[in-house]
Amino acid sequence: MALKFKPENPEALLNEIVQPRPDWLAMDRIATLLPRLVKAFDQISQPIEGSDAFLEWLGSGAVETKYEELAPDRQGIRGLVGEYPQHAGLRVLAESDECSEKRLQVVAYVINTASAWRQELVPSEKPFFEKRVEGAWRAMRLLSELALAKVPKCTVDVERFEKHFARVNEHLDQRQFGEQDIRYLDELHRFFKFYLGDGRFITYQSDKQKSQRREIKRTGEWKVLDDDVDSEVESVQERAVHITLPQNSERVRKQYLRDGNAPEELMSESVLISQRGVALDTDRGETPSTGLRKQQPKRAAYRRANSFLPGRWESLNEYERGLVLKVLLENKMGSENARLHVLLVLLTGRPLESISRTLVVQNRSQLPKTFTDPERIYLIRDDQAWASAVLEPPERRKLEAEWVPHMESTESQFIAPIPDAYWQILGSRVDSAAKRVRKKSGILFAKNLSTESVAEEISIEIKKLNKSTGSRITLKRIQTCVFEGLIHQTTDTVDASLVTGRKLPTGQSANLYYHTRAVESLAADYVDVVNAWLVNLGLSTQSMAPTNLDFGLPRVGSPFCMRLEVMRDVVSRLRAQIAEYRKTAYSRASIRKFHNLYTAYAILQVMWSTGFRAVRDPIAYPYEFNERRGFVIIADKVDDNLGHSRLVYLPEIVIGQLRRYETHRQHMKLRLNEVGVEAPIETFFTFLDEKLQSEFATPKRLSDEIQWTFPWPLNVSRHTLRGFLRDQGAPGYLVDVFMGHWGVGTEPLAKYSSLDLFDMKSRIVPATAALLDELGFGVEAGLDA
């Protein structure tokens, strides 16, 4: 297990010990630590073969010479800790004034173990290995000397060392150490434990006669549970699950953002056999079967807590809302300040604390370009309207400057007109505040007005109203009125969130990440909602909002919504290139070029008609495409129990294209066999490399094929499609199902789901067909024609 050194290649040993980044960041400082580290290998009885020659090479200044040569390529520390943990750890130790001999001994032990583990890896194990190495080096950098003293003496027998380490952790006096030290000791121990194959959920098969090579056991078995027809939780059937660990490069957040996907949709890096949050307590006889059975009530409660049903108790019914409006219009809600606060809470859906910070402007030109306070509202006197920032997802990729001309223009503010009946209450206060404006905006309420005092007064007035009418009105329920009304009006929770700034009750923001909508459409829906309240009170149509409001604003929401004429040009160029390649598809290179571009064209057509995310394998296997029924199974976002696949109905043009692609794929199998190339992999879409070997349809591979005409994130199709479906009149709840936006408790095909697939097909397919027709997609023939 000792590191070996060849005198003719000393740099190889340096690379093995440090695992450096290509630019050799801080390698000059690390080199000063290496003599002490070499000595530490001797102290743990695992000496480096040829260490004397290696130290002589270090003393010759070779490291410093190459360090200077790489200076122009040096980029700083970004990505060092996560991508090169060994390099980062040694850099921290080299720069530390107090790096003890004990720490260096443990470091040498970790390096030796990681080196042996690295030599035994198969490619699919690499992400799992890297996570454990990163955790071990995090511990080496951050463990205190007091906690480090608890690490056992390093021995040649790793198994004996790990058992001793486990006993130390088990009997550790937690009163003597901080929470971080305990966690880092556990992380360091886990590195050796998993190296020996004792990790949770994944086990190793060790064979000392085959150089200790370990293979991951990838198959787990579900235990049969009793099937209860009245249970809210579906029974778990006995089946074998084949687990494939995804490649690390395709699952990291940076790559996800680069492709234009929502970070909220990034699932865990491995598929686990059960959804337990803790290890099985085998000492008490717990088994996977009993463990899953105990989890059923918790999962059922979680499912109920996350389900969202408009019209529940937390919103006012029509009678209660009428009572609130009546006392507001009759000036019976306490003082003017209390009345204005309640009215603005009702009209905007913002909390009381935000309403107390309301500003007034004379016209829209005085609105700020960027709203620093996303919940604050502005009242616009000349337009008789209110404005506020639209809700945005917590994280989104930045729109590059060169992409802007090709995307729909979007703004970060929403403006909604206020009907006359409500403005009669607000008008006088807004006029007086606007006259006092000396800069760009003025306050609506006095600075010395306490929000707590206003809240207390409103509470007293609401109690009086409840006592006299027998209702159960609360300020929180008043705040949800416009949100609930917009959901009933638009059938879309995202539209309601954009207007009210209220986060979705299910906690999911992925649908918000992709959605885009015209401000005028949202404002029209908003006016319909608040006008309906007045109609229910018997007020005349003269109390409606002004109709001459010129919004002058484009769309709000995702900035990655592509202009259709731009995509129309892309499709036209792709089809022209396919026709050109088809004419010359005779040589091996020409056949490869045609097949790859033809595959990319078919994948793009699927993406623009199904909302497929930019992840691997749009259609995993041919049987997932049902030509007769006209649907495809999309598995672009799978959770830990493989339960997030979705059924998507296809327009006729896509069905025809997939039919032609399948015959082309079978034809390519025969042609490749004739030239001695093995049959392609069994996924539906495959690319070919220069040797005509099959490659998976990954986002990077797709980007390489169409980069010459499609230099934007692949997922612009998903950003564009959601808003287009809503503009075509598709109900919001069906769009959420179509896009795959659901969480626990809102599954479209769960046991008690009321989703009608035929209704979904009749509403969604015409809209997606219209989009494909607008973009110029057509059925292209393959080489079988």
Side-chain angles (χ1 to χ4, degrees), residues 494-729:
V494 190
D495 283 351
S497 295
L498 289 173
V499 173
T500 63
R502 182 183 178 186
K503 295 181 180 179
L504 300 184
T506 54
Q508 298 291 331
S509 60
N511 44 10
L512 179 66
Y513 186 92
Y514 299 103
H515 191 49
T516 178
R517 201 79 199 280
V519 174
E520 188 172 359
S521 299
L522 292 176
D525 291 331
Y526 170 80
V527 170
D528 288 342
V529 170
V530 295
N531 276 341
W533 300 346
L534 299 175
V535 173
N536 292 337
L537 289 178
L539 299 180
S540 65
T541 56
Q542 295 178 355
S543 297
M544 301 299 119
T547 58
N548 59 347
L549 181 59
D550 180 18
F551 289 92
L553 292 175
R555 303 173 76 84
V556 292
S558 169
F560 292 97
C561 179
M562 182 177 284
R563 291 167 48 212
L564 297 186
E565 59 268 25
V566 175
M567 188 60 196
R568 192 182 306 121
D569 177 65
V570 170
V571 174
S572 175
R573 294 165 64 188
L574 282 173
R575 297 187 69 179
Q577 193 65 55
I578 288 175
E580 187 68 25
Y581 283 168
R582 186 186 293 110
K583 296 177 183 178
T584 59
Y586 303 113
S587 65
R588 292 165 64 103
S590 299
I591 290 175
R592 172 180 173 268
K593 287 167 59 178
F594 174 83
H595 171 80
N596 287 346
L597 189 61
Y598 187 61
T599 299
Y601 175 79
I603 293 176
L604 278 182
Q605 199 169 107
V606 171
M607 292 180 72
W608 281 87
S609 60
T610 65
F612 175 77
R613 297 172 181 85
V615 294
R616 173 170 156 168
D617 294 334
I619 303 176
Y621 300 103
Y623 59 77
E624 293 182 350
F625 165 51
N626 191 318
E627 179 182 342
R628 186 169 67 89
R629 298 289 185 182
F631 67 80
V632 66
I633 300 298
I634 296 293
D636 52 359
K637 174 189 174 185
V638 288
D639 58 8
D640 287 344
N641 65 352
L642 300 175
H644 214 292
S645 299
R646 55 192 174 99
L647 184 151
V648 181
Y649 284 100
L650 301 172
E652 191 60 39
I653 187 174
V654 183
I655 297 174
Q657 183 62 67
L658 294 182
R659 184 189 303 122
R660 295 306 299 263
Y661 184 83
E662 173 61 17
T663 57
H664 164 82
R665 196 171 67 92
Q666 297 300 331
H667 175 77
M668 287 296 296
K669 276 187 177 182
L670 298 176
R671 297 190 68 167
L672 292 176
N673 286 335
E674 290 175 358
V675 296
V677 179
E678 294 183 2
I681 51 182
E682 292 302 317
T683 55
F684 191 82
F685 292 115
T686 60
F687 290 102
L688 297 177
D689 63 11
E690 294 180 354
K691 297 181 179 180
L692 299 185
Q693 297 296 323
S694 298
E695 295 180 324
F696 287 105
T698 63
K700 184 180 184 308
R701 194 66 185 82
L702 176 60
S703 296
D704 293 341
E705 290 297 330
I706 60 175
Q707 187 66 29
W708 57 277
T709 187
F710 200 92
W712 311 287
L714 288 174
N715 232 17
V716 292
S717 58
R718 190 165 170 81
H719 291 261
T720 309
L721 186 56
R722 195 185 198 285
F724 184 87
L725 292 176
R726 291 289 293 117
D727 291 340
Q728 292 291 312

Side-chain angles (χ1 to χ4, degrees), residues 396-410:
R396 174 180 276 150
R397 185 184 182 186
K398 182 180 179 182
L399 184 66
E400 301 292 342
E402 59 268 22
W403 300 340
V404 173
H406 308 291
M407 304 296 169
E408 293 280 2
S409 299
T410 56

Side-chain angles (χ1 to χ4, degrees), residues 333-335 338 341-342 352-353 449-464 475:
M333 180 64 78
S335 66
H341 274 82
V342 173
L352 191 68
E353 295 76 11
L449 181 63
S450 170
T451 305
E452 290 76 12
S453 63
V454 174
E456 185 177 352
E457 181 183 358
I458 292 174
S459 178
I460 294 174
E461 294 298 325
I462 290 178
K463 286 180 180 178
K464 291 179 182 178
L475 187 61

